[in-house]
Every structure is written in structure tokens, then in C-alpha cells.
């Protein structure tokens, strides 16, 4: 199974949420970390997560297209 985390998440965090189910069912998995860091300012620190692409909701267009993430995932799986 290929695991792809959501926006502002990390591969490690996502794996920790689903690992017990996958191991219970003896399902192998690969978890990819999205290539683009995203930071959220909290009162006392910044929290880092990752993103597969960037969408501008005001302009209603992708600043970094989804195809970039597809190429990244394909290269990771090929290697």
C-alpha cells in the first residue's frame, strides 16, 4: 500500500495512525513524505508539516501543480 499523508502532516505521523491496522492485516506499505515543507506559526513555535502541491484559493489555481507531486512519487517508487 502506498501511504500519502494529508496537508500539514508528516509521513511519520500518518504511519503512526494506521500502522497497527496494516500490521494486523499483514499489509506491507511505503509511506512517502511530501516534498514541500509548510510552516504554521503557533504562539510559542512553528509547526512543520508537508504538502504535495500548493493551491491558491484566491486565484483558484495551483501555484505548484499536482503533476509535480506525481513525478516526485513516481521517481521515489522507481528508485
Amino acid at each position: 500500500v502506498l501511504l500519502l499523508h494529508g496537508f500539514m502532516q508528516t509521513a511519520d505521523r500518518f504511519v503512526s495512525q494506521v500502522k497497527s491496522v496494516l500490521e494486523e492485516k499483514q499489509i506491507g506499505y511505503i509511506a512517502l513524505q511530501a516534498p514541500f515543507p509548510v510552516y504554521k506559526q503557533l504562539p510559542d513555535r512553528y509547526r512543520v508539516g508537508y504538502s504535495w502541491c500548493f493551491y491558491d484559493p484566491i486565484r483558484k489555481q495551483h501555484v505548484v501543480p499536482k503533476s509535480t507531486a506525481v513525478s516526485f512519487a513516481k521517481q521515489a517508487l522507481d528508485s
Side-chain angles (χ1 to χ4, degrees):
V1 172
L2 175 60
L3 300 177
L4 302 175
H5 62 78
F7 181 73
M8 278 296 300
Q9 286 188 326
T10 64
D12 288 342
R13 182 165 183 256
F14 187 51
V15 167
S16 73
Q17 294 171 333
V18 299
K19 186 176 184 176
S20 63
V21 174
L22 295 171
E23 288 180 348
E24 177 184 310
K25 296 181 184 237
Q26 298 181 342
I27 297 172
Y29 62 89
I30 295 173
L32 296 182
Q33 180 84 350
F36 304 111
V38 181
Y39 298 90
K40 180 176 183 177
Q41 186 172 2
L42 301 175
D44 60 338
R45 64 186 170 87
Y46 283 93
R47 184 178 76 197
V48 66
Y50 291 85
S51 177
W52 295 100
C53 61
F54 289 104
Y55 181 76
D56 182 343
I58 295 169
R59 294 188 293 165
K60 296 186 177 168
Q61 66 181 14
H62 281 90
V63 178
V64 176
K66 292 178 184 179
S67 60
T68 305
V70 172
S71 294
F72 172 82
K74 184 179 181 326
Q75 289 176 355
L77 292 171
D78 286 346
S79 66

